[in-house]
Amino acid sequence: MLFPHDLPDADVQHLPGWLAAADADGLMSALQADVAWEIHRIRMFGSWVDSPRLSCWIGDPDARYRYSGAEFVPHRWLPSLQDTRDRLETEGFGRFNSVLLNRYRGGGDYMGWHSDDEPELGPAPVIASLSLGAARRFLLRRRDDPTRKAEYLLGHGDLLVMAGQTQRFYQHALPKMARVQGERINLTFRWITPR
């Protein structure tokens, strides 16, 4: 981990093993089998491209989400995801009406630099990110000083929560890791303000 506490204006918690290994195994298997995985089309540098991972947007009926130039209508909640949301809320991490699932099929699938700062997330969103499967690097960098950064290795069952002004002042990314062969599924729970 690089500079884990040197992140002014950020509120980041890393909770390794938040979900016990057996529970994480069961949730990952259920999601691999039951989720309607798709390749989202997103707008990058003025062109429509296939995102370099599989995804699915799930949530309450009015939790429509617009990012990267596309609008996503939520699929219905799966019981396993409702249980995870209930635990997050019970433990005081926030209120959540939606979750974006990303499935990284190997080390070549990735997520580029971005902030979760769309208007429907509000000025200080809470993003609760649960990792399942292969461990991957998660990077944070300050927008006005990209040399100020942090790196976390997120493993099976780890929870990373970003809150406060983190999205305003920081970007995050999940870079390629050529040596990683296994799959990773990431669940990012959030609150979308209904339109």
Side-chain angles (χ1 to χ4, degrees):
M1 198 181 302
L2 306 173
F3 316 115
H5 303 293
D6 191 20
L7 295 172
D9 304 310
D11 180 355
V12 179
Q13 297 178 67
H14 178 210
L15 304 169
W18 178 79
L19 194 61
D23 295 332
D25 290 345
L27 180 56
M28 186 165 182
S29 294
L31 297 177
Q32 287 170 322
D34 299 338
V35 169
W37 296 104
E38 55 198 17
I39 296 177
H40 287 171
R41 297 277 293 168
I42 56 176
R43 197 159 179 82
M44 289 180 62
F45 309 112
S47 300
W48 287 98
V49 298
D50 289 342
S51 64
R53 63 199 163 270
L54 299 176
S55 300
C56 187
W57 178 246
I58 291 176
D60 296 350
D62 56 358
R64 291 173 175 249
Y65 189 37
R66 176 175 286 280
Y67 75 94
S68 297
E71 182 173 26
F72 298 93
V73 176
H75 292 268
R76 290 170 43 182
W77 285 98
L78 300 172
S80 57
L81 292 174
Q82 286 180 308
D83 292 345
T84 306
R85 174 181 67 168
D86 291 348
R87 179 178 168 193
L88 288 166
E89 292 182 350
T90 299
E91 292 185 10
F93 290 108
R95 253 177 91 211
F96 306 103
N97 64 357
S98 52
V99 59
L100 177 62
L101 288 81
N102 285 304
R103 185 174 182 177
Y104 301 88
R105 295 158 290 188
D109 283 5
Y110 68 97
M111 176 80 75
W113 288 108
H114 70 288
S115 296
D116 295 324
D117 57 358
E118 293 78 16
E120 57 265 42
L121 293 173
V126 176
I127 310 292
S129 175
L130 177 62
S131 295
L132 303 170
R136 294 286 298 265
R137 296 169 59 222
F138 179 85
L139 309 177
L140 278 164
R141 71 178 182 192
R142 193 168 167 96
R143 288 179 183 226
D144 61 359
D145 181 6
T147 63
R148 186 178 295 261
K149 51 179 91 165
E151 177 178 323
Y152 300 88
L153 185 65
L154 300 181
H156 192 46
D158 287 6
L159 181 68
L160 184 97
V161 181
M162 297 179 286
Q165 297 300 306
T166 306
Q167 303 305 318
R168 179 179 172 196
F169 290 102
Y170 289 84
Q171 294 179 313
H172 53 276
L174 190 93
K176 292 181 181 182
M177 290 179 69
R179 293 182 180 164
V180 171
Q181 301 298 315
E183 279 199 348
R184 174 185 188 255
I185 294 178
N186 180 241
L187 296 71
T188 52
F189 291 85
R190 54 193 79 200
W191 178 267
I192 298 292
T193 302
R195 294 184 190 158

